Amino acid sequence: RKEWQHYRKYPLIGLGITYTDYADNRIFCKCIGIYPNIQLPLLRREHLEWTLRIGNGVGFVNRKYKAPTDTLNPAISTNINDFAIFMTDLRFKLDKHWNVQVGASFTHISNAGFSQPNLGVNLAGAHFGLRYFPSTCTPEKKVNELPKLHNRWLLQMRGGVGFIQSRSPGHPKLPTYFGSVYASRRWRGKNKYFFGTDMASCESNYAFLRMYELFPGK
C-alpha cells in the first residue's frame, strides 16, 4: 500500500526468530537470533517466485569465552552479539494456499570487536519447506498513480562512535569516532548516487602504536 513498496515491486518486511545449535558445545554455543528483515523479489511468475531476504539483529548465545583458562572457545566472548542473515528461496506455488520452497542461507554472529576474542561464527546451509496461507499467497496489491519525484540534490552529514577492545582480553574498550560529508542526487525518481568523504579516528590503533613504540617521538 505504500509508494516505496510500489517502486520496489512490493517487498515484504518481517521479524524473524531463529534457533541455532552449532553442534560442538565444548567449543561453540547455541544461539537465538531475533532480526528485522526485508524480502526482495528477484523473479516473479505465475507459479514461480525467487526471493532474497536480508536481515540484521541481535543474537543471544549461551556460551562465551571465559578468561584466562578457556582455550577451546576463541570465537565468541559476549552473550549478546550482532546476528546477520542472508537467505534466498525458490518457491513453487501449488495453489493459492500452498507453496513448496528450496533455498540456501548464510548467518554470521560476532560482536564487531567490542570484546576479545571475537573470531565470530559463520554458518552456511540449505533448506526445504512448505508454506501455507490461510487466505491466499497472492493478495491483491493496491496500485496508485505514483507521484513524479524530482531528481533533487541533497547535502548530508553523518557521525557516530563505536567501541572496540584493544588487541586482547582484559584490555580497555576504546572509542572509534567517524563522520562523513557527502552530496547525493536522486536518480530515476527512486535511487540515489552520492559522493563525499569519510573520516575516522581509531583510538585502539593509536594505543597500539604507542604500546609498541612503532614511531618513537611522533
Side-chain angles (χ1 to χ4, degrees), residues 171-191:
H171 280 207
K173 292 176 173 61
L174 299 175
T176 295
Y177 304 97
F178 62 91
S180 61
V181 179
Y182 58 97
S184 67
R185 189 171 192 268
R186 189 181 284 137
W187 173 56
R188 296 181 63 184
K190 58 182 179 180
N191 297 307

Side-chain angles (χ1 to χ4, degrees), residues 6 43 45-47 57 61 64 69 73 77-78 84 87 99 103 107 113 116 135 143 147 167 176 206 210:
H6 192 168
L43 177 68
R45 295 292 184 266
E46 183 179 359
H47 297 290
V61 303
K64 64 178 184 178
T69 58
N73 177 23
S77 59
T78 52
M87 183 179 296
N99 289 181
T107 64
Q116 298 292 346
S135 178
V143 179
R167 306 302 166 186
T176 295
Y206 184 43
R210 285 182 298 169

Side-chain angles (χ1 to χ4, degrees), residues 18-75:
T18 184
Y19 173 79
T20 308
D21 186 340
Y22 290 102
D24 193 338
N25 291 319
R26 296 177 308 147
I27 303 174
F28 297 120
C29 53
K30 296 180 176 66
C31 174
I32 297 175
I34 302 174
Y35 57 97
N37 62 85
I38 185 168
Q39 179 181 287
L40 304 172
L42 301 179
L43 177 68
R44 276 198 178 126
R45 295 292 184 266
E46 183 179 359
H47 297 290
L48 179 67
E49 183 180 45
W50 180 28
T51 64
L52 173 66
R53 191 185 315 170
I54 303 170
N56 192 271
V58 180
F60 303 90
V61 303
N62 69 329
R63 189 180 191 280
K64 64 178 184 178
Y65 170 85
K66 296 179 180 179
T69 58
D70 194 343
T71 59
L72 291 177
N73 177 23

Side-chain angles (χ1 to χ4, degrees), residues 1 44 51 60 64 106 139 150 155 157-158 164 169 177 188 203:
R1 296 177 179 175
R44 276 198 178 126
T51 64
F60 303 90
K64 64 178 184 178
F106 176 84
H150 298 293
L155 178 64
M157 295 183 291
R158 293 183 183 179
I164 185 171
Y177 304 97
R188 296 181 63 184
E203 296 295 320

